[in-house]
Amino acid sequence: AQRVTQPEKLLSVFKGAPVELKCNYSYSGSPELFWYVQYSRQRLQLLLRHISRESIKGFTADLNKGETSFHLKKPFAQEEDSAMYYCALEYGNKLVFGAGTILRVKS
Amino acid sequence: DAGVIQSPRHEVTEMGQEVTLRCKPISGHNSLFWYRQTMMRGLELLIYFNNNVPIDDSGMPEDRFSAKMPNASFSTLKIQPSEPRDSAVYFCASSFGTSGPYNEQFFGPGTRLTVL
C-alpha cells in the first residue's frame, strides 16, 4: 500500500542552523513526490516537487529511490521557515500525505 | 481568483446534529478533493471528484459521511449524525488536469469543526 512516513512531529532548530525534514515513502511504482507547507494563518500550499529539481526558499529535496526517501533540506534556517511541512506521494491523481512535521526556528 | 472557498470557517455543533460543509473550487479546475486534518493522523483524503463524478471515496470513514458535487462550482460534505470524534479541520482542494509530477492541488482555508 502507498504510505508516507514523517517520523518527527516537531523539529526545533536555531536560526542559521541546518534543517532536514525526513520523509520516507512506500510505493511499488515510480513515485511522484511533493512537499507542501502551511505557514501560520495561511493555506496549505505546494513548496516543491521532485521532478523540478529546484530550490524554493532555499529548500531542496532529493529523491533517493534506494532508501525510498525524499528528505527536505535547507543549509541555514530562518525564522520565517517556521511552519507545518507535509511530504506527499501522488498516485492516480490522489495525494497521500505524511503526518506532517512542525518546524520551529528559534532566534 | 479568490482561490478555493470554503464555508463556514468555523462550526460548533452538538453530537447528533447534521453538519454540512461547503466548497467552491477554483474556476476551470476539474478535480476536487476533501481532506480531514487531525493532530494524530495528519491529512487524510476522504473523497475526490473528477468532472463532478466521485472517483474514490475509500477514505470516507463511515456511512455518516457523504459528499456531493452537483456542478463544477460547488461541493458539499455532510456528516449526519455528527460525533465528537469528527472534530477536525476539513479542507477542500482543487486541481486542473489529471495525475502527474506537475499536478498541483490548491487548498481552501479549511473549516474547523467542533462537535460537543
Side-chain angles (χ1 to χ4, degrees):
Chain A
Q2 301 77 13
R3 174 178 282 186
V4 176
T5 303
Q6 292 179 254
E8 301 141 329
K9 282 280 189 186
L10 172 66
L11 183 63
S12 189
V13 301
F14 283 102
K15 177 182 171 181
V19 172
E20 182 178 54
L21 300 171
K22 290 183 168 51
C23 172
N24 288 89
Y25 66 90
S26 174
Y27 183 54
S28 58
S30 182
E32 305 295 353
L33 289 155
F34 306 81
W35 278 97
Y36 278 74
V37 62
Q38 187 174 24
Y39 300 103
S40 178
R41 287 185 284 277
Q42 292 188 31
R43 302 180 183 211
L44 188 64
Q45 58 189 284
L46 178 66
L47 178 63
L48 56 79
R49 44 171 73 92
H50 92 270
I51 195 73
S52 301
R53 303 182 69 82
E54 60 193 339
S55 174
I56 304 293
K57 299 184 178 182
F59 284 98
T60 59
D62 292 319
L63 176 60
N64 185 323
K65 291 186 179 181
E67 296 183 357
T68 60
S69 69
F70 188 56
H71 303 326
L72 184 67
K73 300 177 184 179
K74 184 169 183 175
F76 307 103
Q78 298 173 309
E79 290 181 73
E80 53 264 35
D81 295 329
S82 295
M84 170 73 93
Y85 291 81
Y86 287 98
C87 182
L89 168 72
E90 194 220 51
Y91 75 102
N93 200 28
K94 300 189 297 185
L95 285 176
V96 175
F97 286 88
T101 298
I102 298 171
L103 175 63
R104 292 269 184 261
V105 181
K106 300 175 288 188
S107 57
Chain B
D1 197 327
V4 176
I5 299 173
Q6 290 187 248
S7 65
R9 295 292 307 277
H10 302 273
E11 178 80 27
V12 180
T13 190
E14 293 188 345
M15 182 173 64
Q17 296 298 306
E18 177 179 297
V19 174
T20 299
L21 311 181
R22 297 173 177 79
C23 175
K24 176 179 168 50
I26 292 172
S27 177
H29 282 189
N30 60 357
S31 293
L32 183 139
F33 308 82
W34 282 102
Y35 292 90
R36 179 171 64 178
Q37 182 188 46
T38 61
M39 284 298 294
M40 291 301 296
R41 301 170 70 93
L43 265 175
E44 301 174 281
L45 177 66
L46 300 177
I47 184 170
Y48 94 90
F49 296 84
N50 186 251
N51 293 322
N52 312 337
V53 176
I55 302 301
D56 186 340
D57 65 354
S58 58
M60 295 285 262
E62 48 199 273
D63 292 345
R64 297 185 299 107
F65 286 69
S66 62
K68 294 182 180 179
M69 192 165 186
N71 57 61
S73 59
F74 184 65
S75 177
T76 59
L77 178 67
K78 185 178 293 186
I79 308 173
Q80 165 64 18
S82 58
E83 297 182 2
R85 60 193 168 118
D86 302 330
S87 297
V89 180
Y90 291 80
F91 287 101
C92 177
S94 70
S95 69
F96 175 74
T98 54
S99 62
Y102 293 100
N103 194 7
E104 178 178 354
Q105 292 187 17
F106 294 83
F107 283 76
T111 295
R112 182 174 296 276
L113 173 65
T114 303
V115 183
L116 304 174

